[in-house]
Amino acid sequence: MTHTRIAIDGPAAAGKSTIAKRVAAKLGYLYIDTGAMYRAVTLYTLENGEEIIDEIEDHIHITFGVNNEVYLNDQDVSEAIRSQEVTKNVSYIASLEKVRTYLVDMQRKISEASNVVMDGRDVGTTVLPNAEVKIFMKADPEVRAKRRLLEEQARGNNYTLEELTKDIVRRDHIDSTREISPLVQAHDAILLDTSHLSIEEVEDKIIRLVMKHL
Ligand code: C5P
């Protein structure tokens, strides 16, 4: 049986996960947050040392719960992977070949079993190059920083807009200039600038694109 795969890529805080979750819920597809997987590996290396990456498959097992919780070796790390320390280090860890090979393989395996909406940086280019629908989502850096500020405030974190802008720009730079699977729009991805669109409008546009393919 063939499955429908929706790849949503784009820079940090472009709204990918909010939209991807809603689209997946609406269609009854599985939602896979690949950024959460890189964050989980980063959390583990911060706690256990980077040398574990040489035998990453012996140390790290990542699964998702029914409400998109992230489990690292059966422990719910959904909150812990959003810490400042993890965010600061994740783009470096995500640039390492061993880490990418391991996670990309895991992401492909998950997508074999069901219809998926997968968001990240390299889903349309590397993980699922034959995905039925590919979206590259972008938004102005100021818009992205403001969205992230609201998210962090909702979590009870007091960052400034400047701090968040700096982090977004820094991560985008590392992600788009790394050697392996850099952040880049796939040649066959549809570009969606969400700067001036509401969540509902973006969701609607994507659902329409998916419907055209079914
Ligand atoms: O999506 P999120 O911002 O949580 O991703 C955290 C980081 O994980 C990104 O800044 C990037 O360095 C890395 N990442 C990646 N490839 C993906 C998804 C995320 O390199 N497919």
Side-chain angles (χ1 to χ4, degrees):
M1 185 179 141
T2 53
H3 293 112
T4 302
R5 296 151 306 168
I6 305 171
I8 304 182
D9 291 302
K16 302 181 300 290
S17 64
T18 304
I19 297 297
K21 257 184 227 163
R22 290 175 66 115
V23 169
K26 197 151 204 172
L27 297 170
Y29 288 13
L30 189 65
Y31 165 58
I32 303 295
D33 177 354
T34 62
M37 299 169 87
Y38 288 94
R39 285 173 179 273
V41 173
T42 305
L43 178 68
Y44 192 88
T45 57
L46 285 170
E47 287 172 352
N48 299 281
E50 201 183 313
E51 57 281 359
I52 67 94
I53 288 172
D54 288 338
E55 278 107 33
I56 189 167
E57 55 286 339
D58 297 337
H59 291 270
I60 293 182
H61 183 63
I62 299 166
T63 50
F64 291 94
V66 282
N67 293 315
N68 300 316
E69 311 92 311
V70 185
Y71 291 93
L72 169 62
N73 301 332
D74 297 328
Q75 229 195 323
D76 187 345
V77 293
S78 312
E79 281 299 315
I81 59 169
R82 306 286 158 196
S83 74
Q84 198 175 10
E85 199 57 11
V86 170
T87 304
K88 210 166 92 192
N89 290 283
V90 63
S91 289
Y92 162 66
I93 294 294
S95 71
L96 304 174
E97 186 173 13
K98 268 243 161 192
V99 174
R100 300 207 74 82
T101 306
Y102 182 59
L103 292 187
V104 166
D105 187 53
M106 202 185 283
Q107 291 153 9
R108 286 185 181 143
K109 281 196 183 117
I110 299 172
S111 77
E112 277 166 15
S114 62
N115 295 319
V116 290
V117 181
M118 195 179 279
D119 76 355
R121 304 294 189 286
D122 63 339
V123 182
T125 52
T126 303
V127 185
L128 305 173
N130 299 318
E132 283 68 24
V133 178
K134 293 186 192 179
I135 313 284
F136 193 83
M137 206 179 273
K138 68 169 202 175
D140 299 337
E142 312 82 70
V143 174
R144 293 193 274 136
K146 278 187 193 145
R147 286 178 186 162
R148 186 52 49 95
L149 186 68
L150 291 176
E151 261 176 46
E152 293 295 349
Q153 282 172 346
R155 279 193 196 115
N157 295 329
N158 275 324
Y159 296 111
T160 64
L161 194 62
E162 289 69 32
E163 281 172 315
L164 295 174
T165 308
K166 248 191 185 167
D167 170 67
I168 287 173
V169 170
R170 185 186 60 82
R171 277 201 289 143
D172 286 352
H173 177 71
I174 303 175
D175 293 344
S176 48
T177 55
R178 70 175 172 231
E179 227 164 279
I180 313 160
S181 305
L183 166 68
V184 63
Q185 183 181 345
H187 68 92
D188 52 352
I190 291 159
L191 180 66
L192 210 56
D193 187 336
T194 70
S195 304
H196 307 291
L197 296 174
S198 69
I199 291 173
E200 290 76 18
E201 285 169 323
V202 181
E203 179 187 334
D204 208 49
K205 274 181 191 286
I206 297 179
I207 297 280
R208 261 184 243 193
L209 286 169
V210 177
M211 290 308 163
K212 269 206 249 168
H213 279 267
L214 294 181

